[in-house]
Amino acid sequence: METMLTGFRHTTQAIQDLRVQQAELEERQKQQAKAAYHGMTGSGKSRYVAQLVEIEKGREERGAQARVAETLDLSPGRITQLLSSDKNRKNGK
């Protein structure tokens, strides 16, 4: 019985450690995405956001723009604005 409890504790600790590592990785990725965004010019930002939204849509269609907005600490309205700006640029407007 003691062996089973010890194994359970080790497993629980390993799961918690993995969750902490995953959270740290996500935070680093978020910081890198924000730094890349802020280092770009206007049209570059539009293309970058459009690419991020497409990547998120590949993971799940619903909420892709909201997830990108959260990642970059931007409002959902700003994401929509950047996407329409990129679309207009492609159409030559």
Side-chain angles (χ1 to χ4, degrees):
M1 185 70 164
E2 184 64 35
T3 304
M4 187 175 75
L5 285 175
T6 302
F8 180 73
R9 285 186 195 113
H10 287 285
T11 303
T12 303
Q13 184 61 46
I15 291 170
Q16 290 173 347
D17 291 345
L18 285 174
R19 285 183 180 151
V20 168
Q21 289 174 355
Q22 181 66 28
E24 290 171 351
L25 176 64
E26 288 173 1
E27 184 59 32
R28 278 195 306 271
Q29 288 174 335
K30 182 177 179 178
Q31 289 173 350
Q32 289 173 345
K34 285 169 54 176
Y37 172 82
H38 290 295
M40 294 178 179
T41 61
S43 63
K45 287 180 180 182
S46 298
R47 286 190 290 257
Y48 182 65
V49 168
Q51 273 306 122
L52 289 178
V53 169
E54 286 303 313
I55 290 168
E56 282 296 322
K57 281 183 179 179
R59 291 175 50 191
E60 183 175 343
E61 184 76 24
R62 291 189 64 159
Q65 289 184 24
R67 289 190 302 274
V68 171
E70 184 179 315
T71 299
L72 296 176
D73 287 335
L74 299 172
S75 70
R78 179 66 177 142
I79 298 299
T80 301
Q81 186 181 39
L82 287 165
L83 290 174
S84 67
S85 169
D86 187 52
K87 187 175 89 176
N88 289 339
R89 183 188 55 76
K90 287 179 182 175
N91 291 335
K93 295 182 180 176

